[in-house]
Amino acid sequence: MSFTAMNTSAPRIWGFKPDAEMRIAREAGWSRADLIWERLMERALAEAGRDRPRKAMRLFRLADIVARVAFAAIDLRRAAPAANLAVLQFRAGASEKAERLQARALAIWAGADGQVDAMQIAPRSRSSLFHLRMEALHRDTFHANLKTRVGRIAAETGETLRSLTSGWPVGHRHASRWRGEKPVVFDGTRKVLGACLLLLDD
């Protein structure tokens, strides 16, 4: 299936109808696939949290298809479904499949530093005109600090990916942090943080 066909029939195939959030995301420059991927990952994590691994696996596979069809080969979001599938396969005793999926996720994550440096940062909503002015005046510092922070999260994610088939928890929180860390704006930081945090916790 071509991306064009997938994109135009996305509501029917993936179960997401156009809504206000989709409209805002599209106006900010996101594709339908960007938001559909995020929603599939959130839904899959919810199913895993309800102890429904088969449903979670199916949704992670759909997210993996979206990522592989719609995103660049270096896009960190392509690592997240593979990582989650690796965890579920490992839990099910399919060690070889889990290790192959882990290797695919790690190969993508090797470019994490470059992706964090290159991520597009949109202006944040602030509670006052003062905050907006401060961000405008100190944009370079703000961007550098944000990239440092996201870089630390990406490094933690790398540690998690390296431990997927070890059977040992590394102690980093991912899915449980997503709701609090999820940016309100649709920009590159949301894409990178989605790749970092839309992962099964230990």
Short mmCIF file of all heavy atoms in Angstrom, two decimals, residues 39-72:
data_model
loop_
_atom_site.label_atom_id
_atom_site.label_comp_id
_atom_site.label_asym_id
_atom_site.label_seq_id
_atom_site.Cartn_x
_atom_site.Cartn_y
_atom_site.Cartn_z
N ARG A 39 -0.97 8.22 18.30
CA ARG A 39 -2.19 7.67 18.90
C ARG A 39 -2.18 6.15 18.93
O ARG A 39 -2.65 5.55 19.90
CB ARG A 39 -3.41 8.18 18.12
CG ARG A 39 -3.68 9.65 18.33
CD ARG A 39 -4.84 10.15 17.51
NE ARG A 39 -5.17 11.52 17.83
CZ ARG A 39 -6.20 12.17 17.30
NH1 ARG A 39 -7.00 11.56 16.42
NH2 ARG A 39 -6.45 13.42 17.63
N LEU A 40 -1.64 5.52 17.90
CA LEU A 40 -1.52 4.07 17.92
C LEU A 40 -0.61 3.60 19.05
O LEU A 40 -0.92 2.63 19.75
CB LEU A 40 -0.97 3.56 16.58
CG LEU A 40 -1.94 3.53 15.40
CD1 LEU A 40 -1.18 3.28 14.10
CD2 LEU A 40 -3.01 2.47 15.60
N MET A 41 0.49 4.32 19.25
CA MET A 41 1.42 3.96 20.32
C MET A 41 0.76 4.14 21.69
O MET A 41 0.89 3.28 22.57
CB MET A 41 2.69 4.81 20.22
CG MET A 41 3.53 4.54 18.98
SD MET A 41 4.30 2.90 18.97
CE MET A 41 5.58 3.13 20.20
N GLU A 42 0.03 5.23 21.87
CA GLU A 42 -0.66 5.46 23.15
C GLU A 42 -1.70 4.37 23.39
O GLU A 42 -1.82 3.86 24.52
CB GLU A 42 -1.33 6.83 23.14
CG GLU A 42 -0.35 8.00 23.21
CD GLU A 42 -1.02 9.35 23.07
OE1 GLU A 42 -2.11 9.43 22.46
OE2 GLU A 42 -0.43 10.33 23.54
N ARG A 43 -2.44 4.02 22.36
CA ARG A 43 -3.47 2.99 22.51
C ARG A 43 -2.83 1.63 22.80
O ARG A 43 -3.34 0.87 23.63
CB ARG A 43 -4.33 2.92 21.24
CG ARG A 43 -5.51 1.98 21.37
CD ARG A 43 -6.36 1.97 20.11
NE ARG A 43 -7.14 3.18 19.99
CZ ARG A 43 -7.98 3.42 18.97
NH1 ARG A 43 -8.11 2.53 17.99
NH2 ARG A 43 -8.68 4.53 18.93
N ALA A 44 -1.74 1.33 22.14
CA ALA A 44 -1.05 0.06 22.37
C ALA A 44 -0.53 -0.03 23.80
O ALA A 44 -0.65 -1.08 24.46
CB ALA A 44 0.10 -0.11 21.38
N LEU A 45 0.05 1.05 24.30
CA LEU A 45 0.53 1.06 25.67
C LEU A 45 -0.61 0.88 26.67
O LEU A 45 -0.46 0.21 27.70
CB LEU A 45 1.30 2.35 25.96
CG LEU A 45 2.66 2.46 25.26
CD1 LEU A 45 3.17 3.90 25.33
CD2 LEU A 45 3.66 1.51 25.88
N ALA A 46 -1.76 1.49 26.36
CA ALA A 46 -2.93 1.32 27.23
C ALA A 46 -3.38 -0.14 27.26
O ALA A 46 -3.71 -0.67 28.33
CB ALA A 46 -4.07 2.22 26.75
N GLU A 47 -3.36 -0.79 26.11
CA GLU A 47 -3.75 -2.21 26.06
C GLU A 47 -2.75 -3.07 26.83
O GLU A 47 -3.13 -3.99 27.56
CB GLU A 47 -3.84 -2.69 24.61
CG GLU A 47 -4.98 -2.07 23.81
CD GLU A 47 -6.36 -2.45 24.31
OE1 GLU A 47 -6.49 -3.39 25.11
OE2 GLU A 47 -7.34 -1.80 23.89
N ALA A 48 -1.47 -2.76 26.70
CA ALA A 48 -0.46 -3.50 27.46
C ALA A 48 -0.67 -3.30 28.96
O ALA A 48 -0.52 -4.23 29.75
CB ALA A 48 0.93 -3.05 27.05
N GLY A 49 -1.04 -2.08 29.35
CA GLY A 49 -1.29 -1.79 30.75
C GLY A 49 -2.49 -2.53 31.30
O GLY A 49 -2.60 -2.74 32.51
N ARG A 50 -3.41 -2.91 30.40
CA ARG A 50 -4.58 -3.70 30.82
C ARG A 50 -4.31 -5.20 30.71
O ARG A 50 -5.24 -6.00 30.77
CB ARG A 50 -5.79 -3.34 29.95
CG ARG A 50 -6.26 -1.90 30.09
CD ARG A 50 -7.53 -1.66 29.28
NE ARG A 50 -7.87 -0.25 29.25
CZ ARG A 50 -7.68 0.55 28.20
NH1 ARG A 50 -7.15 0.06 27.08
NH2 ARG A 50 -8.01 1.82 28.26
N ASP A 51 -3.05 -5.55 30.51
CA ASP A 51 -2.64 -6.95 30.38
C ASP A 51 -3.31 -7.63 29.18
O ASP A 51 -3.80 -8.75 29.26
CB ASP A 51 -2.93 -7.74 31.66
CG ASP A 51 -2.14 -9.04 31.72
OD1 ASP A 51 -1.08 -9.13 31.06
OD2 ASP A 51 -2.59 -9.97 32.41
N ARG A 52 -3.28 -6.91 28.06
CA ARG A 52 -3.79 -7.45 26.79
C ARG A 52 -2.65 -7.43 25.78
O ARG A 52 -2.65 -6.62 24.84
CB ARG A 52 -4.97 -6.62 26.30
CG ARG A 52 -6.18 -6.64 27.23
CD ARG A 52 -7.22 -5.66 26.75
NE ARG A 52 -8.40 -5.64 27.61
CZ ARG A 52 -9.35 -4.72 27.55
NH1 ARG A 52 -9.25 -3.72 26.69
NH2 ARG A 52 -10.38 -4.77 28.36
N PRO A 53 -1.67 -8.29 25.94
CA PRO A 53 -0.47 -8.24 25.09
C PRO A 53 -0.75 -8.48 23.62
O PRO A 53 -0.07 -7.91 22.76
CB PRO A 53 0.43 -9.32 25.68
CG PRO A 53 -0.47 -10.22 26.44
CD PRO A 53 -1.57 -9.37 26.96
N ARG A 54 -1.74 -9.31 23.28
CA ARG A 54 -2.02 -9.57 21.87
C ARG A 54 -2.56 -8.32 21.18
O ARG A 54 -2.16 -8.01 20.05
CB ARG A 54 -2.99 -10.73 21.73
CG ARG A 54 -2.38 -12.08 22.14
CD ARG A 54 -3.34 -13.22 21.99
NE ARG A 54 -3.66 -13.46 20.60
CZ ARG A 54 -4.52 -14.40 20.18
NH1 ARG A 54 -5.13 -15.18 21.06
NH2 ARG A 54 -4.75 -14.57 18.90
N LYS A 55 -3.47 -7.62 21.85
CA LYS A 55 -3.99 -6.36 21.28
C LYS A 55 -2.88 -5.32 21.19
O LYS A 55 -2.78 -4.59 20.21
CB LYS A 55 -5.14 -5.84 22.12
CG LYS A 55 -6.44 -6.62 21.95
CD LYS A 55 -7.59 -5.93 22.65
CE LYS A 55 -8.90 -6.66 22.38
NZ LYS A 55 -10.05 -5.99 23.03
N ALA A 56 -2.06 -5.26 22.24
CA ALA A 56 -0.95 -4.31 22.23
C ALA A 56 0.00 -4.61 21.08
O ALA A 56 0.44 -3.70 20.36
CB ALA A 56 -0.21 -4.36 23.57
N MET A 57 0.30 -5.88 20.88
CA MET A 57 1.22 -6.26 19.81
C MET A 57 0.66 -5.88 18.44
O MET A 57 1.39 -5.37 17.58
CB MET A 57 1.52 -7.76 19.88
CG MET A 57 2.73 -8.18 19.06
SD MET A 57 3.22 -9.90 19.33
CE MET A 57 3.81 -9.83 21.02
N ARG A 58 -0.63 -6.10 18.26
CA ARG A 58 -1.25 -5.75 16.97
C ARG A 58 -1.13 -4.25 16.72
O ARG A 58 -0.80 -3.81 15.61
CB ARG A 58 -2.71 -6.18 16.96
CG ARG A 58 -3.44 -5.91 15.64
CD ARG A 58 -4.86 -6.43 15.66
NE ARG A 58 -5.67 -5.75 16.64
CZ ARG A 58 -6.27 -4.57 16.44
NH1 ARG A 58 -6.10 -3.94 15.28
NH2 ARG A 58 -7.00 -4.01 17.36
N LEU A 59 -1.40 -3.44 17.74
CA LEU A 59 -1.32 -1.99 17.59
C LEU A 59 0.11 -1.51 17.40
O LEU A 59 0.37 -0.59 16.61
CB LEU A 59 -1.96 -1.30 18.79
CG LEU A 59 -3.49 -1.45 18.86
CD1 LEU A 59 -4.00 -1.09 20.25
CD2 LEU A 59 -4.17 -0.59 17.80
N PHE A 60 1.06 -2.11 18.11
CA PHE A 60 2.47 -1.75 17.89
C PHE A 60 2.89 -2.10 16.46
O PHE A 60 3.68 -1.37 15.84
CB PHE A 60 3.38 -2.46 18.89
CG PHE A 60 3.36 -1.88 20.28
CD1 PHE A 60 3.26 -2.71 21.39
CD2 PHE A 60 3.45 -0.50 20.47
CE1 PHE A 60 3.24 -2.17 22.67
CE2 PHE A 60 3.43 0.04 21.76
CZ PHE A 60 3.33 -0.80 22.86
N ARG A 61 2.39 -3.22 15.94
CA ARG A 61 2.72 -3.57 14.55
C ARG A 61 2.14 -2.56 13.57
O ARG A 61 2.79 -2.21 12.57
CB ARG A 61 2.21 -4.98 14.24
CG ARG A 61 3.08 -6.07 14.86
CD ARG A 61 2.53 -7.45 14.61
NE ARG A 61 3.40 -8.49 15.14
CZ ARG A 61 2.99 -9.62 15.68
NH1 ARG A 61 1.68 -9.88 15.76
NH2 ARG A 61 3.85 -10.50 16.14
N LEU A 62 0.92 -2.08 13.83
CA LEU A 62 0.35 -1.04 12.97
C LEU A 62 1.19 0.24 13.05
O LEU A 62 1.45 0.88 12.02
CB LEU A 62 -1.10 -0.74 13.39
CG LEU A 62 -2.14 -1.82 13.07
CD1 LEU A 62 -3.49 -1.44 13.66
CD2 LEU A 62 -2.26 -2.03 11.57
N ALA A 63 1.60 0.61 14.26
CA ALA A 63 2.45 1.79 14.41
C ALA A 63 3.77 1.61 13.68
O ALA A 63 4.31 2.55 13.08
CB ALA A 63 2.70 2.07 15.90
N ASP A 64 4.30 0.39 13.71
CA ASP A 64 5.54 0.08 13.01
C ASP A 64 5.36 0.25 11.50
O ASP A 64 6.23 0.79 10.82
CB ASP A 64 5.97 -1.35 13.35
CG ASP A 64 7.36 -1.68 12.81
OD1 ASP A 64 8.27 -0.84 12.95
OD2 ASP A 64 7.53 -2.79 12.27
N ILE A 65 4.22 -0.19 10.98
CA ILE A 65 3.94 -0.03 9.55
C ILE A 65 3.88 1.45 9.19
O ILE A 65 4.48 1.89 8.20
CB ILE A 65 2.63 -0.74 9.16
CG1 ILE A 65 2.80 -2.26 9.26
CG2 ILE A 65 2.18 -0.34 7.76
CD1 ILE A 65 1.50 -3.03 9.16
N VAL A 66 3.15 2.23 9.98
CA VAL A 66 3.05 3.67 9.72
C VAL A 66 4.45 4.29 9.71
O VAL A 66 4.80 5.05 8.80
CB VAL A 66 2.17 4.36 10.79
CG1 VAL A 66 2.25 5.88 10.65
CG2 VAL A 66 0.73 3.91 10.67
N ALA A 67 5.26 3.96 10.71
CA ALA A 67 6.60 4.54 10.81
C ALA A 67 7.47 4.17 9.62
O ALA A 67 8.19 5.01 9.06
CB ALA A 67 7.26 4.10 12.12
N ARG A 68 7.43 2.92 9.22
CA ARG A 68 8.29 2.45 8.13
C ARG A 68 7.85 3.00 6.79
O ARG A 68 8.68 3.21 5.90
CB ARG A 68 8.34 0.93 8.14
CG ARG A 68 9.04 0.40 9.38
CD ARG A 68 8.91 -1.09 9.56
NE ARG A 68 9.87 -1.82 8.74
CZ ARG A 68 10.04 -3.12 8.80
NH1 ARG A 68 9.31 -3.85 9.63
NH2 ARG A 68 10.93 -3.72 8.05
N VAL A 69 6.56 3.24 6.64
CA VAL A 69 6.05 3.77 5.37
C VAL A 69 6.20 5.29 5.30
O VAL A 69 6.57 5.84 4.26
CB VAL A 69 4.56 3.37 5.16
CG1 VAL A 69 3.95 4.12 3.98
CG2 VAL A 69 4.44 1.87 4.96
N ALA A 70 5.93 5.97 6.42
CA ALA A 70 5.79 7.43 6.37
C ALA A 70 6.99 8.22 6.87
O ALA A 70 7.13 9.39 6.55
CB ALA A 70 4.56 7.83 7.19
N PHE A 71 7.86 7.61 7.69
CA PHE A 71 8.95 8.36 8.31
C PHE A 71 10.30 8.02 7.67
O PHE A 71 10.49 6.92 7.17
CB PHE A 71 9.03 8.08 9.81
CG PHE A 71 7.77 8.37 10.58
CD1 PHE A 71 7.53 7.77 11.81
CD2 PHE A 71 6.80 9.23 10.09
CE1 PHE A 71 6.37 8.03 12.52
CE2 PHE A 71 5.63 9.50 10.78
CZ PHE A 71 5.42 8.89 12.01
N ALA A 72 11.21 8.97 7.75
CA ALA A 72 12.56 8.76 7.22
C ALA A 72 13.25 7.62 7.96
O ALA A 72 12.95 7.35 9.13
CB ALA A 72 13.37 10.04 7.36
#
